[in-house]
Amino acid sequence: MKHVVAIRHVHFEDLGTLEPVLEQRGYAVRYHDVGLDDFAALDPLEPDLLVVLGGPIGVYETEAYPFLIDETALIARRLASGRPILGICLGAQLVAAALGAKVAPTGVKEIGFAPLTLTEAGRAGPLRHLDGVAVLHWHGDAFAIPEGAEHLAATPVCATQAFAVGRTVLGLQFHPEADTQHGFERWLVGHAAEIAGAGIDPRVLRADARRLGPPLALAAAAMFGAWLDGLAPAG
């Protein structure tokens, strides 16, 4: 059986709708919970796939959150190995930073559902399944596209929504994994201060999640499945 380790920063930002896709393809899933599990005990080269999930902090906040130093170093070791890694939101920013790209605040919160504009490279790869689909955005920072990576997607608010390095590295600024039908209220409660600070009505987010979540889940599963199917054999 293949193994995936998902680094989880806050409990409700998990693999969501992507977890069944992994299970269908024979992956056993294990979470590494920041603040509970020690990074020193995690071998970044051991799992067949490493996923780095989202969280409400910035990669540059290393003085306030020193674990980010260890996490970035672990990601860099994974990248150097050439083994598959997926980063989502904060996870994508950490992957970008480990590749030498700048990550910084955008000056605006992009929170809510909106479609992506795919680049030519994006339309040619797994993200083609998300074309025309409203995805969930939830961030105030953004990464620059790392040197040597392909730029895959943009929105009017954030020009750098996704990048890939070959077949084995995928960074997504948005949240394809969010399970909007089961547990989305945890996102609204967990990020209540951020939502209020951005002047966003949680009732709008909740209604949009109910309406736009089902097509997003189907498209995200197709996208993620296509990416997994395109991975080179582990090892």
Side-chain angles (χ1 to χ4, degrees):
M1 178 173 281
K2 294 173 288 187
H3 293 82
V4 56
V5 171
I7 298 176
R8 180 166 54 185
H9 301 91
V10 289
H11 199 72
F12 57 84
E13 292 198 33
D14 54 21
L15 285 165
T17 60
L18 303 186
E19 190 160 342
V21 182
L22 287 163
E23 293 171 346
Q24 290 162 10
R25 282 164 171 75
Y27 285 87
V29 175
R30 175 168 65 88
Y31 285 97
H32 179 95
D33 286 304
V34 171
L36 296 177
D37 301 318
D38 188 356
F39 275 115
L42 177 58
D43 180 356
L45 309 187
E46 181 272 330
D48 296 285
L49 171 63
L50 181 67
V51 181
V52 189
L53 295 166
I57 59 176
V59 303
Y60 43 81
E61 296 183 276
T62 53
E63 291 191 10
Y65 304 99
F67 74 83
L68 289 166
I69 297 172
D70 295 331
E71 187 172 7
T72 304
L74 182 144
I75 290 168
R77 285 185 60 204
R78 178 74 182 190
L79 289 164
S81 76
R83 293 171 66 76
I85 182 169
L86 168 67
I88 296 175
C89 200
L90 171 62
Q93 294 164 8
L94 285 163
V95 172
L99 289 168
K102 182 180 179 181
V103 178
T106 63
V108 63
K109 294 288 187 179
E110 185 176 27
I111 300 176
F113 291 84
L116 301 165
T117 298
L118 300 181
T119 66
E120 183 176 349
R123 290 190 298 271
L127 265 66
R128 66 185 182 277
H129 294 285
L130 299 176
D131 195 14
V133 177
V135 302
L136 178 62
H137 304 274
W138 206 303
H139 69 107
D141 292 350
F143 49 73
I145 301 299
E147 184 177 353
E150 289 187 302
H151 181 202
L152 303 179
T155 61
V157 175
C158 178
T160 55
Q161 284 285 349
F163 67 87
V165 181
R167 293 185 175 184
T168 58
V169 179
L170 183 62
L172 306 175
Q173 181 60 73
F174 56 95
H175 288 276
E177 85 291 357
D179 189 343
T180 62
Q181 305 305 296
H182 305 94
F184 189 66
E185 200 69 22
R186 297 179 302 163
W187 286 66
L188 301 180
V189 174
H191 292 309
E194 185 178 29
I195 294 171
I200 295 170
D201 189 338
R203 294 171 295 183
V204 174
L205 285 174
R206 188 181 295 114
D208 285 348
R210 289 172 181 160
R211 177 171 57 92
L212 300 171
L216 171 58
L218 290 173
M223 178 276 297
F224 189 46
W227 185 70
L228 290 173
D229 292 343
L231 293 178

